Amino acid sequence: MESRQRILDATVEIAGERGYDGTSIAAVSAKCGLPASSIYWHFKDKDDLIAAVIERSFETWLTAVELPAQETGTPLERVLTMAANVARSLVDAPDFLRLGLMLALERRPTEPRGRTVFLQVRDISRQKITEVITALFPALDEAAVDTLATYAIAGADGLFIQREVIGDTVDLVALFELHARLVHDAAFRMAAVAPPRG
Amino acid sequence: MESRQRILDATVEIAGERGYDGTSIAAVSAKCGLPASSIYWHFKDKDDLIAAVIERSFETWLTAVELPAQETGTPLERVLTMAANVARSLVDAPDFLRLGLMLALERRPTEPRGRTVFLQVRDISRQKITEVITALFPALDEAAVDTLATYAIAGADGLFIQREVIGDTVDLVALFELHARLVHDAAFRMAAVAPPRG
Amino acid sequence: MESRQRILDATVEIAGERGYDGTSIAAVSAKCGLPASSIYWHFKDKDDLIAAVIERSFETWLTAVELPAQETGTPLERVLTMAANVARSLVDAPDFLRLGLMLALERRPTEPRGRTVFLQVRDISRQKITEVITALFPALDEAAVDTLATYAIAGADGLFIQREVIGDTVDLVALFELHARLVHDAAFRMAAVAPPRG
Amino acid sequence: MESRQRILDATVEIAGERGYDGTSIAAVSAKCGLPASSIYWHFKDKDDLIAAVIERSFETWLTAVELPAQETGTPLERVLTMAANVARSLVDAPDFLRLGLMLALERRPTEPRGRTVFLQVRDISRQKITEVITALFPALDEAAVDTLATYAIAGADGLFIQREVIGDTVDLVALFELHARLVHDAAFRMAAVAPPRG
DNA sequence: TATGAATGAGACTTCATTCAT
DNA sequence: AATGAATGAAGTCTCATTCAT
């Protein structure tokens, strides 16, 4: 029970730093102090281990982000609060998204299950974003919501990468707020132009 | 001379799909038809090879992007044209950015030279963007230009990733134009608020 | 446990015949019947393996030489007995000294640990010789004892090499006795000339 | 012409430090500045190169030792002068003997030609020593001369090794003189005991 | 007289994984 | 519930050598 967590802790750290191929069972074993064979007692194979890491980190990240989900205020206020929450969660636990993006960028013949899992949980996030946009701007048609959701996620990914690359100088919270504001404005304008649904 | 190119061609393809660790010399050898030992005649080691790939792909990408650099029209028109150019270049030759982002996301104890090179050439691009923003919106102060440049690059990275992940359904050119429009509007508003420089 | 010994047995034989660079892991693997990767379970790397070989062979050799250490008789008798013992031990198990001398003669930028270990155990032997000379000829000053110890070891090394090079025609026991006799005479004369210590 | 010498210079240095297997053509190429293929223009193969090195260093060493070969004085004086000469030559150019001994100690299935050459030139030296002993002590029978020659060479090898291992602290000239004195005394005593020849 | 380019074999080492205990 | 030992495949890289020019 406790060993399983130690293994996952070690793996999230290594895989978050070096990606799928860069994560060797021997390295995980060294970092968590358990022999390699013990890792195979808890996980079917490396693929299973990485997938488990993705699952667990996503759950951790989800609770960190969702807890203070706010339901009142103007659309802009609510969007800004959400953006700040996401930004802070990414600063605190960047391993999830870093590893996920590395997996997502790869294109290998037999796709690691961890990649599939990441794309699935990412889709859940996208679903949430779509719902929020639809709720805040009911006038938007489906295509517009889709475009905005894509753009919203893209900005989040991109800003996260900027921080990973450039370092702490990047004020992630401020940039996420700028991003939220721009998405909000775009949605506002699109909604004004669009004919009401129905 | 010709062999060197064949090796680079093979490597760009494999590394663009599987990242640093996923790129085995044996795979490169198989793809380019030269024995592994010949690769070591042309490149000091794997690190050197990957770095050379980054260098060459960046140059290719640069010429693809820069050739149609336009100098007339309103700021919005010019920004839109640039965005469309970049979008098209990324659709045509995604290997450069895909590999670069994978390298950039990694955090290994001894940094691959390819990563350093990628970050350097990326800085050149950022410089260019900064210059364009300054030229189009002279009223902006340095901090604002910096923020906008960071946001512009972040959007580009993020949208690229969205396309890589979701697939061709994503209309990269359209999204880049939306991105350009939003950055332009933000710059416009910031410049209006800001006191004129000097 | 048992595998470790099989690996060491194979290595001592090969390394004793071909030196550090001439000892390939593949050859050791072939000789001991275990796959190469198993060797790396028992030893960190080739350097570690060679060092372990030196350590074990020295201990084997030490017990072979020391058991019949005699404590009575005239100085000459005692010295002759010791010399004969050493000679016989070198005839029986020449691998230790052969490998050790090969390592000792090398001068590579990063010194193999096996070399360090050999020089250390060699120093232990020198210590023993020094003690014996001091015990048998208390009148000798430190410098004289040092010179005699150096000469005694040099003769042993040199005679061993002669046998290795020329072959069994060389009567190692007889030559070691001649050597012992000459060292004894030299010590005797030096002690007679030297003013008594203290 | 000049290239050949540069190659030999580089090889003697590397081979004198790392032995046969430790001497790679690439390393020699790097040290002498000529491409590997040029080495093969001057020498048939690696074996040929090493053998050439042995031959050349022996000749260099021979002239260094022989030039001041003295023909007058008492036996002891002459022996002492010779010993000092040899000692000095070994201090000045240790590569020859160091490489030679490394080759001599190895026992590989297909003997390097360099080893054969070394043993041959070593035999020439032994011949010289035999002649000198016979000349100085005509009363000795063949077996005694042989024993003394073996012992003389063994001492030289062993003392050389001591210096290589321990370092410059070892006064090679003084130790060679001690060695010469002991060999001389042994010869003197053996000759006194032995019935005159013929 | 020399060398740039190539090459198959083999070097050391790590890989993911299994299995008996 | 866990692990010491093993293993075949594959990893990066160096080896001695060749050959066309």
Side-chain angles (χ1 to χ4, degrees):
Chain A
M1 283 283 153
E2 205 233 324
S3 295
R4 196 172 202 274
Q5 297 308 315
R6 272 166 64 198
I7 296 169
L8 286 174
D9 289 344
T11 309
V12 88
E13 211 169 322
I14 295 176
E17 284 172 356
R18 347 238 320 206
Y20 190 95
D21 284 303
T23 302
S24 77
I25 299 294
V28 172
S29 156
K31 172 149 276 177
C32 73
L34 295 166
S37 46
S38 294
I39 297 175
Y40 280 86
W41 192 87
H42 288 283
F43 302 93
K44 190 171 98 37
D45 54 17
K46 179 173 161 176
D47 219 48
D48 191 35
L49 172 61
I50 300 279
V53 160
I54 288 282
E55 267 158 6
R56 197 189 65 158
S57 352
F58 177 64
E59 270 153 40
T60 314
W61 177 76
L62 247 202
T63 61
V65 161
E66 281 203 325
L67 280 186
Q70 172 194 6
E71 301 281 327
T72 65
T74 69
L76 180 58
E77 280 167 4
R78 290 175 61 185
V79 164
L80 286 176
T81 312
M82 285 171 56
N85 276 345
V86 172
R88 271 190 291 265
S89 74
L90 292 181
V91 171
D92 289 351
D95 281 329
F96 165 60
L97 190 51
R98 184 144 21 88
L99 171 54
L101 288 178
M102 284 192 272
L103 288 173
L105 283 168
E106 283 174 9
R107 290 231 175 301
R108 58 184 75 207
T110 67
E111 158 157 347
R113 196 159 69 80
R115 184 176 193 265
T116 316
V117 171
F118 176 71
L119 295 186
Q120 281 167 356
V121 302
R122 194 178 163 85
D123 231 49
I124 297 177
S125 305
R126 178 181 239 279
Q127 205 58 39
K128 290 257 166 69
I129 292 173
T130 306
E131 285 165 18
V132 169
I133 296 177
T134 310
L136 296 183
F137 304 94
L140 292 171
D141 65 12
E142 222 177 306
V145 172
D146 218 59
T147 300
L148 286 169
T150 299
Y151 186 74
I153 295 177
D157 288 344
L159 291 172
F160 171 76
I161 291 175
Q162 288 289 71
R163 197 192 122 95
E164 289 296 307
V165 164
I166 302 182
D168 301 345
T169 354
V170 175
D171 183 347
L172 207 55
V173 175
L175 281 165
F176 261 72
E177 283 180 350
L178 169 61
H179 181 45
R181 206 177 287 270
L182 293 186
V183 173
H184 169 270
D185 291 358
F188 191 79
R189 234 171 313 154
M190 282 169 159
V193 168
R197 280 194 190 199
Chain B
M1 284 280 155
E2 205 235 322
S3 295
R4 198 174 199 272
Q5 297 308 316
R6 269 165 65 198
I7 295 170
L8 286 174
D9 290 343
T11 309
V12 95
E13 212 170 321
I14 296 175
E17 285 173 356
R18 343 237 322 204
Y20 191 97
D21 283 304
T23 303
S24 80
I25 299 294
V28 173
S29 158
K31 172 150 278 178
C32 73
L34 292 166
S37 48
S38 292
I39 297 176
Y40 283 89
W41 196 89
H42 291 281
F43 302 93
K44 195 174 89 48
D45 53 18
K46 183 173 160 175
D47 215 51
D48 192 34
L49 172 60
I50 301 279
V53 160
I54 289 281
E55 265 157 7
R56 197 189 64 159
S57 335
F58 177 65
E59 269 153 41
T60 314
W61 179 77
L62 247 202
T63 61
V65 161
E66 280 201 325
L67 280 185
Q70 174 194 5
E71 301 278 328
T72 65
T74 69
L76 181 57
E77 281 167 4
R78 290 174 61 185
V79 164
L80 287 175
T81 312
M82 284 171 56
N85 275 345
V86 172
R88 271 189 292 267
S89 74
L90 292 181
V91 171
D92 288 352
D95 281 328
F96 165 61
L97 189 53
R98 185 141 24 86
L99 172 55
L101 288 177
M102 284 191 272
L103 288 173
L105 283 169
E106 283 174 6
R107 290 233 178 298
R108 50 186 83 206
T110 66
E111 159 157 348
R113 196 160 69 82
R115 184 177 195 262
T116 316
V117 171
F118 176 71
L119 296 185
Q120 282 167 355
V121 303
R122 193 178 163 87
D123 230 49
I124 297 178
S125 306
R126 177 181 240 280
Q127 204 58 37
K128 290 255 167 71
I129 293 173
T130 305
E131 285 164 19
V132 169
I133 296 177
T134 309
L136 295 183
F137 304 94
L140 291 172
D141 65 11
E142 222 177 305
V145 172
D146 218 58
T147 299
L148 287 168
T150 299
Y151 187 74
I153 295 178
D157 288 343
L159 291 172
F160 172 76
I161 290 174
Q162 288 290 71
R163 196 192 123 96
E164 290 297 309
V165 165
I166 302 183
D168 301 345
T169 351
V170 175
D171 183 347
L172 206 56
V173 175
L175 281 165
F176 261 73
E177 283 180 350
L178 168 61
H179 181 45
R181 207 178 287 271
L182 294 186
V183 173
H184 169 269
D185 291 358
F188 191 79
R189 234 170 312 154
M190 283 170 159
V193 168
R197 281 193 190 197
Chain C
M1 284 286 154
E2 203 235 323
S3 296
R4 197 172 200 274
Q5 298 308 319
R6 269 166 65 198
I7 296 169
L8 286 173
D9 290 343
T11 309
V12 93
E13 210 169 323
I14 297 175
E17 284 174 357
R18 346 238 318 207
Y20 190 97
D21 283 304
T23 302
S24 80
I25 299 294
V28 173
S29 157
K31 175 152 275 178
C32 73
L34 292 166
S37 48
S38 292
I39 297 175
Y40 282 88
W41 197 89
H42 291 280
F43 303 93
K44 194 174 91 48
D45 54 18
K46 184 174 160 175
D47 215 51
D48 191 34
L49 172 60
I50 301 280
V53 160
I54 289 282
E55 267 158 6
R56 199 190 62 159
S57 337
F58 177 64
E59 269 153 40
T60 314
W61 179 76
L62 246 202
T63 61
V65 162
E66 279 202 325
L67 281 183
Q70 171 194 6
E71 301 278 329
T72 64
T74 70
L76 181 57
E77 280 166 4
R78 290 174 62 184
V79 163
L80 286 176
T81 312
M82 284 171 57
N85 276 344
V86 172
R88 269 190 292 265
S89 74
L90 292 181
V91 171
D92 289 350
D95 282 327
F96 165 61
L97 190 53
R98 184 139 27 84
L99 170 55
L101 288 178
M102 284 191 271
L103 288 173
L105 283 169
E106 283 175 8
R107 289 233 177 300
R108 50 185 84 204
T110 66
E111 158 156 349
R113 196 160 68 80
R115 184 177 194 264
T116 316
V117 171
F118 176 71
L119 296 186
Q120 280 168 356
V121 303
R122 193 178 163 84
D123 230 50
I124 297 177
S125 305
R126 177 182 239 280
Q127 203 58 37
K128 290 255 166 71
I129 292 173
T130 305
E131 285 164 19
V132 168
I133 296 177
T134 309
L136 295 182
F137 304 93
L140 291 174
D141 65 12
E142 223 178 304
V145 172
D146 219 57
T147 300
L148 287 169
T150 298
Y151 186 75
I153 296 177
D157 288 343
L159 291 172
F160 172 76
I161 291 174
Q162 288 290 72
R163 196 192 124 96
E164 290 296 309
V165 165
I166 302 183
D168 301 345
T169 351
V170 174
D171 182 348
L172 207 56
V173 175
L175 280 165
F176 262 71
E177 282 180 351
L178 168 60
H179 181 44
R181 204 177 290 270
L182 292 186
V183 173
H184 169 270
D185 290 0
F188 191 80
R189 234 170 313 152
M190 282 169 161
V193 167
R197 278 195 193 197
Chain D
M1 284 287 152
E2 203 232 325
S3 296
R4 195 172 202 274
Q5 297 308 316
R6 272 166 63 197
I7 295 169
L8 287 174
D9 289 344
T11 308
V12 88
E13 210 169 322
I14 295 175
E17 284 173 356
R18 348 240 314 209
Y20 189 95
D21 284 305
T23 302
S24 78
I25 300 294
V28 172
S29 157
K31 173 149 275 176
C32 73
L34 294 167
S37 47
S38 294
I39 297 175
Y40 280 86
W41 192 87
H42 289 282
F43 303 92
K44 191 171 99 34
D45 55 17
K46 182 173 160 177
D47 220 48
D48 192 33
L49 172 60
I50 301 278
V53 160
I54 288 282
E55 267 158 7
R56 197 190 64 160
S57 350
F58 177 64
E59 268 152 42
T60 315
W61 177 76
L62 248 202
T63 62
V65 161
E66 282 203 323
L67 280 183
Q70 171 193 8
E71 302 279 327
T72 64
T74 70
L76 181 57
E77 279 167 3
R78 290 175 61 186
V79 163
L80 285 176
T81 311
M82 286 171 55
N85 276 346
V86 172
R88 269 190 293 266
S89 74
L90 292 181
V91 171
D92 290 349
D95 281 328
F96 164 61
L97 190 52
R98 181 140 29 84
L99 171 55
L101 288 177
M102 284 191 271
L103 289 172
L105 283 169
E106 283 173 9
R107 290 232 176 298
R108 55 184 77 208
T110 67
E111 158 157 347
R113 196 158 68 80
R115 183 176 195 264
T116 317
V117 171
F118 176 72
L119 295 186
Q120 281 167 356
V121 301
R122 195 177 161 86
D123 231 49
I124 297 177
S125 304
R126 177 182 241 281
Q127 205 57 37
K128 289 256 167 70
I129 291 172
T130 306
E131 284 165 19
V132 168
I133 296 177
T134 310
L136 295 182
F137 303 95
L140 291 172
D141 65 13
E142 222 177 307
V145 172
D146 217 58
T147 299
L148 286 169
T150 298
Y151 186 75
I153 295 177
D157 288 342
L159 290 172
F160 172 76
I161 291 174
Q162 289 287 72
R163 197 192 123 96
E164 289 296 308
V165 165
I166 301 183
D168 301 344
T169 355
V170 174
D171 182 347
L172 207 57
V173 175
L175 281 165
F176 262 73
E177 284 181 352
L178 169 61
H179 181 45
R181 206 178 287 273
L182 293 186
V183 173
H184 168 270
D185 290 0
F188 191 80
R189 234 171 313 154
M190 283 169 159
V193 168
R197 278 194 192 200

